[in-house]
Amino acid sequence: MNKKVKTILITIIVFVLVFMGAKFISKELDDMCGNDIKQKISSPNGENVAYIFERSCGETTGFSPQLSILEKDDKFKNKSGNTFRANKDFSIEWLDNKHLKVIYHKSSETYKMEKKSNGIEIEYMSQ
């Protein structure tokens, strides 16, 4: 095998190992995080569920209030909120089966504010 082919093979192997290592580290870090469900509020027709929870990824990160909207049969997983993330508590109100209002404090830092999540349109109001 010539030197050029060896170099290419070694490069490919290194990239694969780095990728696999990054995936492993990412999974381990995600496992360090935890979600504490504060409220579970079903839509008026019961087809969707809004989860308000606090996420923490260790002693140095603090808690982050978050919102995930899932279909009624979906399992709530140990992941970040798919709809809204902030640094202060907030509340929600189902307006109807396909519309949800998120009410958050005007001094909140927001990290994620989806306008639509799992087919639900999201309206935001700061107070």
Side-chain angles (χ1 to χ4, degrees):
M1 195 178 306
N2 68 30
K3 190 174 182 176
K4 187 175 182 179
V5 173
K6 280 185 180 180
T7 303
I8 291 172
L9 284 175
I10 289 172
T11 303
I12 290 170
I13 290 169
V14 167
F15 277 122
V16 168
L17 290 174
V18 167
F19 177 76
M20 289 173 57
K23 291 293 257 180
F24 175 78
I25 290 170
S26 174
K27 179 170 176 15
E28 289 300 312
L29 288 176
D30 205 31
D31 287 346
M32 290 176 50
C33 297
N35 293 337
D36 181 18
I37 298 172
K38 298 299 181 185
Q39 288 184 295
K40 179 180 172 183
I41 307 166
S42 296
S43 61
N45 66 1
E47 293 298 314
N48 293 284
V49 179
Y51 291 89
I52 296 176
F53 62 98
E54 285 185 342
R55 183 164 178 81
S56 176
C57 292
E59 294 177 17
T60 60
T61 61
F63 293 94
S64 170
Q66 301 190 13
L67 171 67
S68 280
I69 298 174
L70 305 175
E71 292 180 4
K72 69 177 179 184
D73 296 328
D74 289 346
K75 184 179 177 194
F76 182 78
K77 296 181 181 176
N78 185 25
K79 296 191 175 220
S80 294
N82 68 5
T83 305
F84 182 72
R85 299 179 204 154
N87 69 336
K88 294 185 180 178
D89 289 335
F90 59 90
S91 62
I92 65 165
E93 176 185 334
W94 282 100
L95 302 175
D96 59 38
N97 293 319
K98 293 292 182 185
H99 296 88
L100 181 88
K101 182 191 295 185
V102 175
I103 303 129
Y104 64 98
H105 194 274
K106 62 184 172 188
S107 68
S108 292
E109 288 184 41
T110 57
Y111 309 113
K112 183 171 190 151
M113 294 178 77
E114 295 295 326
K115 293 183 179 183
K116 194 168 194 173
S117 182
N118 282 347
I120 306 299
E121 292 187 32
I122 317 298
E123 174 186 323
Y124 293 94
M125 185 171 95
S126 65
Q127 293 183 333

